[in-house]
PDB file of all heavy atoms in Angstrom:
ATOM      1  N   ALA J   3     -13.222  24.576  73.680  1.00 38.00           N
ATOM      2  CA  ALA J   3     -14.652  24.719  73.862  1.00 38.00           C
ATOM      3  C   ALA J   3     -15.074  24.272  75.242  1.00 38.00           C
ATOM      4  O   ALA J   3     -14.541  23.322  75.792  1.00 38.00           O
ATOM      5  CB  ALA J   3     -15.409  23.918  72.800  1.00 38.00           C
ATOM      6  N   ALA J   4     -16.064  24.947  75.811  1.00 34.00           N
ATOM      7  CA  ALA J   4     -16.590  24.533  77.100  1.00 34.00           C
ATOM      8  C   ALA J   4     -17.458  23.305  76.927  1.00 34.00           C
ATOM      9  O   ALA J   4     -17.962  23.033  75.852  1.00 34.00           O
ATOM     10  CB  ALA J   4     -17.400  25.672  77.708  1.00 34.00           C
ATOM     11  N   SER J   5     -17.626  22.553  78.023  1.00 31.00           N
ATOM     12  CA  SER J   5     -18.417  21.328  77.951  1.00 31.00           C
ATOM     13  C   SER J   5     -19.041  21.048  79.300  1.00 31.00           C
ATOM     14  O   SER J   5     -18.475  21.372  80.341  1.00 31.00           O
ATOM     15  CB  SER J   5     -17.542  20.139  77.540  1.00 31.00           C
ATOM     16  OG  SER J   5     -18.223  18.925  77.720  1.00 31.00           O
ATOM     17  N   PRO J   6     -20.247  20.442  79.329  1.00 31.00           N
ATOM     18  CA  PRO J   6     -20.847  20.079  80.604  1.00 31.00           C
ATOM     19  C   PRO J   6     -20.131  18.912  81.272  1.00 31.00           C
ATOM     20  O   PRO J   6     -20.334  18.635  82.426  1.00 31.00           O
ATOM     21  CB  PRO J   6     -22.275  19.672  80.208  1.00 31.00           C
ATOM     22  CG  PRO J   6     -22.174  19.259  78.785  1.00 31.00           C
ATOM     23  CD  PRO J   6     -21.127  20.124  78.197  1.00 31.00           C
ATOM     24  N   HIS J   7     -19.292  18.180  80.517  1.00 33.00           N
ATOM     25  CA  HIS J   7     -18.581  17.039  81.095  1.00 33.00           C
ATOM     26  C   HIS J   7     -17.457  17.557  81.987  1.00 33.00           C
ATOM     27  O   HIS J   7     -16.580  18.283  81.554  1.00 33.00           O
ATOM     28  CB  HIS J   7     -17.993  16.153  79.991  1.00 33.00           C
ATOM     29  CG  HIS J   7     -19.034  15.674  79.039  1.00 33.00           C
ATOM     30  ND1 HIS J   7     -19.983  14.752  79.389  1.00 33.00           N
ATOM     31  CD2 HIS J   7     -19.288  16.009  77.757  1.00 33.00           C
ATOM     32  CE1 HIS J   7     -20.777  14.516  78.349  1.00 33.00           C
ATOM     33  NE2 HIS J   7     -20.368  15.271  77.363  1.00 33.00           N
ATOM     34  N   ALA J   8     -17.443  17.097  83.238  1.00 32.00           N
ATOM     35  CA  ALA J   8     -16.476  17.644  84.188  1.00 32.00           C
ATOM     36  C   ALA J   8     -15.357  16.698  84.541  1.00 32.00           C
ATOM     37  O   ALA J   8     -14.405  17.087  85.175  1.00 32.00           O
ATOM     38  CB  ALA J   8     -17.204  18.055  85.480  1.00 32.00           C
ATOM     39  N   HIS J   9     -15.486  15.417  84.164  1.00 32.00           N
ATOM     40  CA  HIS J   9     -14.483  14.448  84.569  1.00 32.00           C
ATOM     41  C   HIS J   9     -13.356  14.382  83.563  1.00 32.00           C
ATOM     42  O   HIS J   9     -13.571  14.388  82.373  1.00 32.00           O
ATOM     43  CB  HIS J   9     -15.124  13.068  84.725  1.00 32.00           C
ATOM     44  CG  HIS J   9     -16.231  13.052  85.746  1.00 32.00           C
ATOM     45  ND1 HIS J   9     -16.016  13.231  87.083  1.00 32.00           N
ATOM     46  CD2 HIS J   9     -17.574  12.911  85.583  1.00 32.00           C
ATOM     47  CE1 HIS J   9     -17.175  13.183  87.717  1.00 32.00           C
ATOM     48  NE2 HIS J   9     -18.120  12.995  86.845  1.00 32.00           N
ATOM     49  N   ALA J  10     -12.147  14.234  84.061  1.00 32.00           N
ATOM     50  CA  ALA J  10     -10.983  14.129  83.184  1.00 32.00           C
ATOM     51  C   ALA J  10     -10.875  12.734  82.619  1.00 32.00           C
ATOM     52  O   ALA J  10     -11.380  11.781  83.180  1.00 32.00           O
ATOM     53  CB  ALA J  10      -9.721  14.472  83.963  1.00 32.00           C
ATOM     54  N   SER J  11     -10.194  12.606  81.493  1.00 34.00           N
ATOM     55  CA  SER J  11      -9.976  11.320  80.853  1.00 34.00           C
ATOM     56  C   SER J  11      -9.180  10.407  81.773  1.00 34.00           C
ATOM     57  O   SER J  11      -8.261  10.839  82.455  1.00 34.00           O
ATOM     58  CB  SER J  11      -9.213  11.507  79.541  1.00 34.00           C
ATOM     59  OG  SER J  11      -8.857  10.273  78.997  1.00 34.00           O
ATOM     60  N   SER J  12      -9.575   9.112  81.804  1.00 36.00           N
ATOM     61  CA  SER J  12      -8.818   8.132  82.580  1.00 36.00           C
ATOM     62  C   SER J  12      -7.513   7.855  81.863  1.00 36.00           C
ATOM     63  O   SER J  12      -7.487   7.241  80.821  1.00 36.00           O
ATOM     64  CB  SER J  12      -9.634   6.843  82.715  1.00 36.00           C
ATOM     65  OG  SER J  12     -10.803   7.064  83.436  1.00 36.00           O
ATOM     66  N   ALA J  13      -6.436   8.350  82.404  1.00 36.00           N
ATOM     67  CA  ALA J  13      -5.144   8.265  81.756  1.00 36.00           C
ATOM     68  C   ALA J  13      -4.097   8.026  82.829  1.00 36.00           C
ATOM     69  O   ALA J  13      -4.401   7.988  84.010  1.00 36.00           O
ATOM     70  CB  ALA J  13      -4.862   9.549  80.990  1.00 36.00           C
ATOM     71  N   PRO J  14      -2.821   7.865  82.465  1.00 38.00           N
ATOM     72  CA  PRO J  14      -1.790   7.699  83.475  1.00 38.00           C
ATOM     73  C   PRO J  14      -1.790   8.862  84.457  1.00 38.00           C
ATOM     74  O   PRO J  14      -2.066   9.995  84.099  1.00 38.00           O
ATOM     75  CB  PRO J  14      -0.496   7.662  82.644  1.00 38.00           C
ATOM     76  CG  PRO J  14      -0.921   7.232  81.296  1.00 38.00           C
ATOM     77  CD  PRO J  14      -2.295   7.802  81.099  1.00 38.00           C
ATOM     78  N   THR J  15      -1.486   8.595  85.692  1.00 36.00           N
ATOM     79  CA  THR J  15      -1.489   9.638  86.706  1.00 36.00           C
ATOM     80  C   THR J  15      -0.307  10.564  86.517  1.00 36.00           C
ATOM     81  O   THR J  15       0.709  10.192  85.926  1.00 36.00           O
ATOM     82  CB  THR J  15      -1.424   9.015  88.100  1.00 36.00           C
ATOM     83  OG1 THR J  15      -0.197   8.288  88.204  1.00 36.00           O
ATOM     84  CG2 THR J  15      -2.589   8.086  88.342  1.00 36.00           C
ATOM     85  N   PRO J  16      -0.379  11.795  87.015  1.00 34.00           N
ATOM     86  CA  PRO J  16       0.734  12.723  86.872  1.00 34.00           C
ATOM     87  C   PRO J  16       2.038  12.174  87.431  1.00 34.00           C
ATOM     88  O   PRO J  16       3.117  12.544  86.977  1.00 34.00           O
ATOM     89  CB  PRO J  16       0.246  13.947  87.656  1.00 34.00           C
ATOM     90  CG  PRO J  16      -1.242  13.887  87.577  1.00 34.00           C
ATOM     91  CD  PRO J  16      -1.573  12.432  87.609  1.00 34.00           C
ATOM     92  N   ALA J  17       1.937  11.269  88.439  1.00 36.00           N
ATOM     93  CA  ALA J  17       3.154  10.732  89.044  1.00 36.00           C
ATOM     94  C   ALA J  17       3.975   9.951  88.040  1.00 36.00           C
ATOM     95  O   ALA J  17       5.191   9.831  88.162  1.00 36.00           O
ATOM     96  CB  ALA J  17       2.791   9.840  90.232  1.00 36.00           C
ATOM     97  N   SER J  18       3.303   9.402  86.986  1.00 48.00           N
ATOM     98  CA  SER J  18       4.025   8.601  86.006  1.00 48.00           C
ATOM     99  C   SER J  18       4.448   9.438  84.796  1.00 48.00           C
ATOM    100  O   SER J  18       4.979   8.911  83.825  1.00 48.00           O
ATOM    101  CB  SER J  18       3.134   7.439  85.528  1.00 48.00           C
ATOM    102  OG  SER J  18       2.002   7.941  84.846  1.00 48.00           O
ATOM    103  N   PHE J  19       4.189  10.740  84.850  1.00 52.00           N
ATOM    104  CA  PHE J  19       4.417  11.604  83.703  1.00 52.00           C
ATOM    105  C   PHE J  19       5.896  11.966  83.570  1.00 52.00           C
ATOM    106  O   PHE J  19       6.525  12.412  84.539  1.00 52.00           O
ATOM    107  CB  PHE J  19       3.558  12.862  83.862  1.00 52.00           C
ATOM    108  CG  PHE J  19       3.836  13.933  82.854  1.00 52.00           C
ATOM    109  CD1 PHE J  19       3.835  13.644  81.503  1.00 52.00           C
ATOM    110  CD2 PHE J  19       4.082  15.228  83.254  1.00 52.00           C
ATOM    111  CE1 PHE J  19       4.082  14.635  80.566  1.00 52.00           C
ATOM    112  CE2 PHE J  19       4.325  16.221  82.332  1.00 52.00           C
ATOM    113  CZ  PHE J  19       4.327  15.923  80.976  1.00 52.00           C
ATOM    114  N   ASP J  20       6.428  11.763  82.377  1.00 63.00           N
ATOM    115  CA  ASP J  20       7.828  12.112  82.095  1.00 63.00           C
ATOM    116  C   ASP J  20       7.822  13.451  81.348  1.00 63.00           C
ATOM    117  O   ASP J  20       7.602  13.513  80.138  1.00 63.00           O
ATOM    118  CB  ASP J  20       8.468  11.014  81.243  1.00 63.00           C
ATOM    119  CG  ASP J  20       9.964  11.212  81.053  1.00 63.00           C
ATOM    120  OD1 ASP J  20      10.388  12.380  80.995  1.00 63.00           O
ATOM    121  OD2 ASP J  20      10.692  10.217  80.948  1.00 63.00           O
ATOM    122  N   GLY J  21       8.073  14.535  82.093  1.00 74.00           N
ATOM    123  CA  GLY J  21       8.012  15.864  81.501  1.00 74.00           C
ATOM    124  C   GLY J  21       9.023  16.071  80.402  1.00 74.00           C
ATOM    125  O   GLY J  21       8.755  16.757  79.404  1.00 74.00           O
TER     126      GLY J  21
END
Side-chain angles (χ1 to χ4, degrees):
S5 169
H7 304 290
H9 301 292
S11 173
S12 296
T15 62
S18 65
F19 172 52
D20 187 327

